[in-house]
Amino acid sequence: MESVSGLAPSRAGRSASYGRGMFYVAVAATAWGTGGAVAAVLYRTSGLGPVAVSFWRLALGIAVLAVLHLAVGERLGARWRDALVLGAGLAVYQTAYYGSIACAGLAVGTVVTLGACPVVIALAARRVLGEALTAGRVAAVAVGLAGLVLLVGGGGQAGAAPVLGVAFGLLSAAGYAVVTIYSRRAGGDLSGATVASFAVAAACLLPLAVAEGLLPSAGGPVALSAGGLAGTVGLLLYLGAVPTALAYRLFFAGVAVVPATVTAVVTLVEPVAGVLIAVGLLGERITLAAAAGAVLMLAAVAGLARTG
């Protein structure tokens, strides 16, 4: 009896930690989904391109996190290796994802990038971290991928360079895998390294953003008026605060206790959130196949939460 009572709190503690980590990752993925909708509005109204938007969300995310750190008295220090690896990984997978969409189209770019992430991470986690590739996790990955194909695979046209787009998508998945696997292998919560990793990622993106156009331009006439400029700044501030500062803090905290393969499947909540926002707020219509895909993806996440 003594041994049983001694083990029970440990199991309960592990279960609570796992559940909290799953919640953190799911909230982060949902925030990323809202970021996609906000970025789409910025592309249409501000004249900013995807790389410039990514740079500004990182730069403003640094400012938001710095203020929060100072407000609660946290130190901003981080190991240089953590900052370099995480920052480079963030820069690669965000930029390559946008490149995939530009070359192959939204549907193909999304399916290839987000579809490859769970597979690449599952294989890398087994090899690098020794994580068990259980039947439940394999099933969750398969169900999640099927749902992703149904959700976004039926719409849009292939871009001008689909092969290059697929290559960019795989590169993006590799960058995301580096961030996830490294965070797990570090063996602790790396949320304290978020500011430094954002700084590295922003430095990597700055030359590309300058070449693309760093400031709102005539390409978005709404941004030329005072009201339009205020709206652009407001949307960029939201991107910096919620899908960037908040989301990545939660993601790094969650991935510290949730297996990498499980994390990759849970982040499939991102496109589901994006679709729900497009339907509920932007008035877009959803097909029956896309709705079924969203249900499958949420079912895969729910299954992992129960079996965790």
Side-chain angles (χ1 to χ4, degrees):
M1 294 295 294
E2 181 177 353
S3 61
V4 172
S5 62
L7 286 174
S10 177
R11 288 174 180 166
R14 286 197 299 268
S15 177
S17 179
Y18 179 88
R20 186 166 54 249
M22 288 277 289
F23 176 75
Y24 286 166
V25 174
V27 172
T30 303
W32 291 335
T34 69
V38 171
V41 174
L42 282 169
Y43 300 154
R44 294 198 304 265
T45 63
S46 69
L48 293 172
V51 181
V53 169
S54 293
F55 169 79
W56 282 118
R57 65 181 287 186
L58 287 167
L60 292 170
I62 292 171
V64 170
L65 285 176
V67 170
L68 290 177
H69 276 291
L70 293 175
V72 299
E74 291 182 353
R75 296 180 60 185
L76 290 174
R79 293 186 305 176
W80 66 268
R81 183 169 60 184
D82 294 342
L84 287 178
V85 174
L86 295 177
L90 287 171
V92 167
Y93 93 73
Q94 287 191 19
T95 307
Y97 175 52
Y98 289 132
S100 179
I101 291 175
C103 293
L106 178 60
V108 175
T110 301
V111 169
V112 171
T113 303
L114 298 184
C117 282
V119 177
V120 172
I121 289 175
L123 296 176
R126 181 179 177 86
R127 175 83 176 180
V128 177
L129 304 175
E131 289 187 3
L133 197 56
T134 64
R137 291 178 185 175
V138 171
V141 170
V143 171
L145 294 185
L148 179 65
V149 171
L150 287 174
L151 181 68
V152 300
Q157 297 180 348
V163 175
L164 183 59
V166 169
F168 274 130
L170 295 177
L171 178 62
S172 177
Y176 179 75
V178 167
V179 172
T180 304
I181 297 297
Y182 183 85
S183 299
R184 283 291 294 166
R185 191 174 186 181
D189 183 355
L190 292 180
S191 57
T194 310
V195 172
S197 62
F198 281 3
V200 172
C204 293
L205 291 179
L206 180 57
L208 297 174
V210 170
E212 183 183 69
L214 193 58
L215 300 175
S217 68
V222 176
L224 298 180
S225 67
L229 181 58
T232 296
V233 172
L235 291 176
L236 287 173
L237 285 172
Y238 174 83
L239 281 181
V242 179
T244 308
L246 172 65
Y248 280 104
R249 278 287 299 235
L250 291 175
F251 175 79
F252 287 134
V255 78
V257 294
V258 177
T261 304
V262 176
T263 297
V265 175
V266 175
T267 51
L268 290 176
V269 170
E270 176 184 352
V272 177
V275 167
L276 292 177
I277 291 171
V279 173
L281 299 181
L282 303 182
E284 296 185 10
R285 295 185 178 183
I286 186 173
T287 65
L288 183 60
V295 171
L296 282 177
M297 295 166 73
L298 293 177
V301 174
L304 286 174
R306 290 191 61 187
T307 59

